[in-house]
Amino acid sequence: FESKIENYRSYKLQTDILLQVIKESTFYKSKANSNINVQADIERFHDFFDLFSKNIIIEYILYNRTIIDNWNNLENQISLLADSITVIKENLNKINPNYFYSNIPNPKLYGEEENIRRIFATYENSNHINFVLNKIVSQSFNNNKAIYSIINQFNNNLKLSLQSLTYLLELYLSYLNRIEDLTEIQKNSNVDLLKFFGNIDNILTFNYTNTAELKFPIPEGQIHYIHGKENFINSSVEETNLVFGIEDNNENINKDIIEYQKTFQRIIKKTGYIYKSFLEQKNLKNIDLCRVIFFGHSLDILDKEILLDFFKVDLQNFSRFEFFVLYYGKEDLKNKVINLSLILGKDKLVNLSSENYIHFIDTSNFQKAEIEIKEEITRNNRMFQLKEISKRQNYQNYRSIVK
């Protein structure tokens, strides 16, 4: 009984904190009026949570929650949902047009669902396509509305769903900031491994929270929040601070999916390209050895465009770049190697590793990781000094690997 009481108290405390965060939001304040009572509060909270009640992405996530087991998987699901719009448009000539007006009885539609499943069976996102089509036809359209307009209307709703999901994510992060013990974040031992690399000059963070600021006392201008920084209190569904979506893996502009892409969002939300200044010649020319440390990032191909900037051949003209990939256990190592292979190419990754440009460090054991980091740094420093490799020689060597 005592444990149930304790659980209740804990649950109530967390709920109270969540509601307090919402109360401080721009949305809640915009709904506030002179009526300060319990009923008015309930109505405002109802209005707030109603923002997410018809979210198509959340519906898909809940329906398929057993297969969405991590953050990257979630972003991939959004990507596959967005791609469904393009695939459906490209295959409209294979679908009976009356299917989109299924509220109008038509005997010719018998068996059409099976035909559609067959059309898209070989697509990676066949489940997503079927989900999108089912959502579209579950609405009632009369046959004077063009099919393209029906699909575009659904796509607009899907974009709104991404916006409200991003806003919900920002709420969650703001809530976590209230309940987490900041001293525990500051004491996180795995992050402390980074001190063995020496001074940290610049940080490119894909996180939305201020963990980097708490751990590293470096000037704010040297930390780049490339996907934005949580500021829920001043955000809204229409104006969120966070970049959350899919990566742009195609040079061609696809109007159907461009608003889902992080590249587009980074421009619109002005999160910028500050990190590129870290790699400018004027900041590298007096540095003989530059270490790039990947910590806490999956190296997923969704961030390929950014990650490749650090592997550019021209950088080796100014300084010898070495890469340290910190992983946690064998499964994490496998995933990171696979992801880097997809980004760089298998042969390039193998050659860069064999030539000591890339080092993989297991952080699951702090003491062993500390020893390995120190040994790698000492060995590479000694090798670099003994060989007296000029920047030109280093550039030629690196270029021969990644060409």
Side-chain angles (χ1 to χ4, degrees):
F1 179 76
E2 288 181 0
S3 64
K4 288 184 178 179
I5 292 293
E6 188 59 35
N7 287 340
Y8 168 75
R9 286 174 178 165
S10 174
Y11 173 77
K12 185 178 185 306
L13 176 62
Q14 292 176 16
T15 303
D16 288 345
I17 292 172
L18 175 64
L19 296 181
Q20 182 57 39
V21 173
I22 295 172
K23 277 187 174 183
E24 295 172 12
S25 70
T26 300
F27 176 89
Y28 186 92
K29 290 177 179 177
S30 71
K31 297 285 183 179
N33 51 43
S34 57
N35 294 325
I36 304 175
N37 55 58
V38 173
Q39 184 58 39
D41 262 357
I42 291 172
E43 289 176 0
R44 284 192 283 272
F45 286 130
H46 180 274
D47 288 344
F48 177 83
F49 287 108
D50 196 47
L51 293 171
F52 318 104
S53 62
K54 296 179 181 179
N55 190 295
I56 299 167
I57 298 173
I58 293 177
E59 181 182 343
Y60 183 85
I61 291 169
L62 293 175
Y63 189 71
N64 296 277
R65 58 187 176 276
T66 56
I67 62 170
I68 303 174
D69 55 1
N70 60 51
W71 186 257
N72 293 319
N73 197 319
L74 172 58
E75 290 185 326
N76 188 48
Q77 300 303 316
I78 295 171
S79 178
L80 293 172
L81 277 172
D83 285 341
S84 298
I85 303 297
T86 301
V87 175
I88 291 169
K89 284 185 174 181
E90 289 173 347
N91 288 274
L92 275 181
N93 62 325
K94 301 175 185 176
I95 303 173
N96 187 328
N98 292 312
Y99 176 74
F100 293 93
Y101 313 106
S102 56
N103 58 310
I104 303 172
N106 191 329
K108 293 181 179 180
L109 290 179
Y110 296 142
E112 185 60 23
E113 285 190 6
E114 183 59 36
N115 174 53
I116 287 172
R117 278 193 289 271
R118 189 166 53 250
I119 292 170
F120 300 109
T122 58
Y123 285 86
E124 177 191 3
N125 60 338
S126 59
N127 287 336
H128 304 76
I129 294 168
N130 288 323
F131 172 82
V132 168
L133 285 171
N134 287 334
K135 289 294 295 179
I136 290 175
V137 300
S138 67
Q139 304 170 62
S140 295
F141 297 105
N142 55 48
N143 55 8
N144 64 1
K145 189 175 180 71
I147 294 174
Y148 261 83
S149 295
I150 292 173
I151 298 173
N152 287 336
Q153 180 179 319
F154 177 85
N155 194 25
N156 289 335
N157 292 335
L158 190 60
K159 293 172 189 173
L160 288 174
S161 292
L162 179 59
Q163 288 179 320
S164 67
L165 178 61
T166 306
Y167 185 52
L168 187 60
L169 168 62
E170 199 161 10
L171 165 63
Y172 173 67
L173 293 171
S174 182
Y175 163 73
L176 283 184
N177 275 341
R178 301 290 180 92
I179 65 171
E180 284 186 336
D181 186 345
L182 296 183
T183 58
E184 288 302 312
I185 294 175
Q186 291 170 324
K187 290 189 297 185
N188 185 297
S189 59
N190 278 354
V191 178
D192 284 341
L193 284 170
L194 299 181
K195 70 185 179 184
F196 301 120
F197 290 96
N199 291 333
I200 302 294
D201 298 305
N202 301 291
I203 296 176
L204 168 62
T205 178
F206 292 78
N207 288 343
Y208 302 116
T209 57
N210 64 342
T211 305
E213 293 174 27
L214 293 172
K215 290 297 297 183
F216 304 102
I218 65 176
E220 186 177 347
Q222 290 168 228
I223 301 177
H224 183 192
Y225 292 87
I226 194 163
H227 286 165
K229 189 176 179 182
E230 180 272 313
N231 185 18
F232 170 74
I233 290 173
N234 296 312
S235 289
S236 64
V237 171
E238 298 77 19
E239 296 288 338
T240 61
N241 296 289
L242 310 185
V243 171
F244 180 52
I246 67 178
E247 204 50 58
D248 182 4
N249 296 316
N250 197 320
E251 289 296 322
N252 298 322
I253 295 176
N254 184 337
K255 289 184 178 180
D256 288 330
I257 65 173
I258 191 171
E259 291 180 48
Y260 300 95
Q261 293 171 347
K262 292 178 183 177
T263 308
F264 175 84
Q265 291 182 30
R266 283 196 290 270
I267 295 170
I268 298 299
K269 299 183 181 185
K270 300 179 180 179
T271 61
Y273 289 88
I274 297 171
Y275 78 94
K276 288 182 180 287
S277 68
F278 304 162
L279 305 174
E280 289 177 355
Q281 179 180 352
K282 64 181 180 181
N283 295 324
L284 296 174
K285 64 181 180 181
N286 295 321
I287 301 173
D288 290 326
L289 188 59
C290 183
R291 293 191 175 99
V292 179
I293 307 160
F294 298 106
F295 178 80
H297 192 283
S298 66
L299 304 179
D300 193 273
I301 197 166
L302 287 172
D303 292 315
K304 176 180 178 179
E305 170 214 353
I306 298 167
L307 296 174
L308 278 177
D309 279 338
F310 291 89
F311 290 92
K312 285 182 177 177
V313 175
D314 288 347
L315 294 177
Q316 301 286 346
N317 249 333
F318 316 128
S319 175
R320 177 180 167 88
F321 268 64
E322 290 182 348
F323 305 92
F324 283 79
V325 178
L326 276 56
Y327 66 92
Y328 193 90
K330 287 186 177 179
E331 283 304 311
D332 191 33
L333 173 61
K334 290 177 185 176
N335 291 332
K336 283 181 166 59
V337 169
I338 290 170
N339 290 340
L340 267 182
S341 298
L342 292 171
I343 291 171
L344 300 174
K346 183 175 66 176
D347 291 339
K348 290 179 184 177
L349 177 59
V350 170
N351 291 334
L352 288 172
S353 299
S354 64
E355 291 292 324
N356 288 307
Y357 283 99
I358 297 182
H359 315 279
F360 294 90
I361 306 290
D362 187 357
T363 64
S364 58
N365 184 305
F366 186 92
Q367 286 73 27
K368 287 184 178 179
E370 177 186 349
I371 293 169
E372 193 173 349
I373 289 170
K374 288 179 176 178
E375 286 179 347
E376 284 290 342
I377 289 175
T378 301
R379 183 169 67 86
N380 292 329
N381 284 348
R382 187 183 300 118
M383 180 186 68
F384 193 66
Q385 290 165 0
L386 287 175
K387 287 187 176 181
E388 296 182 347
I389 302 173
S390 70
K391 291 183 178 181
R392 185 63 183 169
Q393 286 173 307
N394 173 62
Y395 169 75
Q396 293 291 358
N397 185 40
Y398 188 89
R399 186 169 183 269
S400 68
I401 294 173
V402 301
K403 63 181 179 182

